[in-house]
Amino acid sequence: MAAPRTAPPTVYDVASAANVSIATVSRVLRTPDAVREGTRDRVQAAIRSLGYVPSGNARALAGKRTGVVGLLLPGFDVVPDERPDLVTDGGVRVVDDRRHVTQPFSSNLYFDEVLRGAETEAWQRGLALMIAAGRGSSRDVIVNDVAGRVDGLAVLAQTVPDDLLEHVARRIPVVVLADDRRSHGFDSVSVDNSAGMRTLASHVIGRLGIRSLAYVAGPIDSPDDMERSTGFRSALADHGVPASSVRVVHGDFGRARARELAATLLADEVPRAIVCSNDQSALGVLDAATARGLRVPEDVVVTGFDGIDAGRFSSPRLTTVHQPMGELGRAAVRAIVDRLDRREGPPRAVRLPVEVLLRESCPPAL
């Protein structure tokens, strides 16, 4: 009777059992679609039979790569739960939720789509995706820790200081999302924010003939917001509307803050249209308009930017500029892989198109 195996199976055991080279085993593990079906089936059967689990450290030593790409997104603070308890019965709270409309993680909706795209592209290429989120004093530690475990890193613009990114980029490829960073030496993936906002605002001003406007902008240090604000101002100039006549407020891209800002805007003279720099802000404006008894779009037109799913189900449905959020994630992974294969050469920028989706909050005609 054979003695039980004490050491875990290795890639050499799998190659021997399947009668293939270790390079073929590696291809089956990384890019199975690139291997002939019969060979792939033999290797996968050997893997299952032996109970083989690939070692990330071993693969890194053998091939100089880990087979993992990183995606760094900003951390989010939890919104305190301020809903009052009515009664506790058997340990279960009963809560008056009628006026509670804050969504603690609502600003994550954009990142959910980006993440899904990156995950899909990595999986199709036989790669693993490591996701990290953090802010504050731990940011340097988090970035360096992730950078030491992956072949390349995709980072949302303004999430990490340039000097820290430059430090990381000396070791692995870095791709910046949502900003053209070629001037800083980084590959980047972004969308045409300015053209999208200019087209949408031109519809509001030119086709609908609206001159009484307010603009809910995002954080002043956001590259996305800067480009969208530029597009909005271009539309004003195109149609002879003085920028000084537009009421501008700055939010944080979140629904709750936009709702507060809109409540103040609507308490005075109600503008005929409120153009928002992102969808979450626009949803907050819809909340405020509903609370004040205003009809959208009859009393006030509202528009957003991003194309998140929540805008398709709002009441009324939100007119927006749709950006391919999933494709942003996919393009970031492709950019990392391309740079791993071609380490030399100038920084590359991918610019993805957008489209305006006219819905009930700002229809084709009033």
Side-chain angles (χ1 to χ4, degrees):
M1 182 174 180
R5 173 185 288 273
T6 58
T10 68
V11 66
Y12 298 99
D13 296 324
V14 174
S16 176
N19 195 27
V20 297
S21 67
I22 60 172
T24 299
V25 176
S26 177
R27 284 197 298 274
V28 170
L29 291 170
R30 292 178 179 272
T31 54
D33 291 341
V35 181
R36 286 184 298 180
E37 182 178 2
T39 303
R40 183 176 67 239
D41 290 345
R42 289 205 317 277
V43 172
Q44 291 174 338
I47 288 171
R48 290 192 297 270
S49 175
L50 294 170
Y52 171 70
V53 177
S55 166
N57 290 336
R59 283 183 296 171
L61 290 172
K64 306 300 183 182
R65 293 189 187 182
T66 65
V68 182
V69 293
L71 177 61
L72 184 64
L73 299 175
F76 297 96
D77 294 331
V78 176
V79 176
D81 190 347
E82 299 175 349
R83 297 175 295 187
D85 293 353
L86 292 184
V87 65
T88 301
D89 185 5
V92 178
R93 288 195 312 161
V94 179
V95 177
D96 183 353
D97 200 44
R98 289 172 295 176
R99 300 184 62 184
H100 186 258
V101 292
T102 300
Q103 300 177 6
F105 297 101
S106 62
S107 58
N108 289 25
L109 296 173
Y110 166 87
F111 302 115
D112 288 345
E113 295 293 329
V114 174
L115 172 57
R116 187 176 296 112
E119 187 175 34
T120 298
E121 186 69 27
W123 177 79
Q124 290 184 346
R125 291 175 175 268
L127 303 171
L129 180 68
M130 177 181 289
I131 303 125
R135 61 163 41 152
S137 60
S138 65
R139 180 172 50 192
D140 290 19
V141 175
I142 291 172
V143 172
N144 279 304
D145 181 59
V146 173
R149 300 167 181 261
V150 299
D151 296 325
L153 184 64
V155 181
L156 187 77
Q158 302 301 313
T159 301
V160 179
D162 284 343
D163 59 347
L164 182 53
L165 279 185
E166 290 167 0
H167 170 70
V168 172
R170 286 197 288 268
R171 291 180 282 162
I172 60 173
V174 170
V175 176
V176 178
L177 285 164
D179 193 15
D180 186 342
R181 304 302 295 278
R182 283 175 295 179
S183 62
H184 292 76
F186 304 120
D187 293 335
S188 62
V189 181
S190 60
V191 302
D192 202 343
N193 288 291
S194 181
M197 182 61 81
R198 184 175 188 173
T199 301
L200 176 57
S202 291
H203 171 76
V204 173
I205 301 168
R207 184 169 294 277
L208 300 186
I210 293 176
R211 294 293 188 273
S212 172
L213 299 159
Y215 185 71
V216 179
I220 58 175
D221 62 346
S222 164
D224 276 345
D225 185 71
M226 294 176 190
E227 292 186 4
R228 293 171 193 180
S229 295
T230 297
F232 180 72
R233 290 192 297 270
S234 295
L236 294 177
D238 292 342
H239 297 279
V241 178
S244 59
S245 69
V246 178
R247 298 158 66 188
V248 178
V249 294
H250 280 273
D252 59 5
F253 278 157
R255 184 170 184 168
R257 179 56 178 157
R259 184 167 56 250
E260 296 172 355
L261 293 171
T264 300
L265 282 174
L266 298 174
D268 300 325
E269 182 180 350
V270 177
R272 187 65 188 87
I274 300 180
V275 178
C276 301
S277 190
N278 76 322
D279 284 351
Q280 285 295 326
S281 295
L283 293 173
V285 171
L286 288 180
D287 293 339
T290 299
R292 199 162 188 275
L294 295 172
R295 300 168 301 162
V296 178
E298 291 85 357
D299 298 322
V300 57
V301 161
V302 179
T303 68
F305 196 116
D306 280 335
I308 63 175
D309 277 348
R312 295 195 296 120
F313 301 106
S314 61
S315 181
R317 296 194 313 147
L318 183 64
T319 285
T320 187
V321 179
H322 177 266
Q323 61 165 312
M325 294 166 284
E327 182 58 24
L328 271 172
R330 299 194 68 152
V333 172
R334 289 197 297 268
I336 290 173
V337 173
D338 288 346
R339 183 57 73 180
L340 284 169
D341 293 337
R342 296 182 295 163
R343 295 302 293 263
E344 303 302 322
R348 311 176 191 116
V350 175
R351 194 79 156 174
L352 301 175
V354 298
E355 60 182 352
V356 173
L357 304 178
L358 299 179
R359 299 184 182 132
E360 287 78 3
S361 75
C362 175
L366 292 173

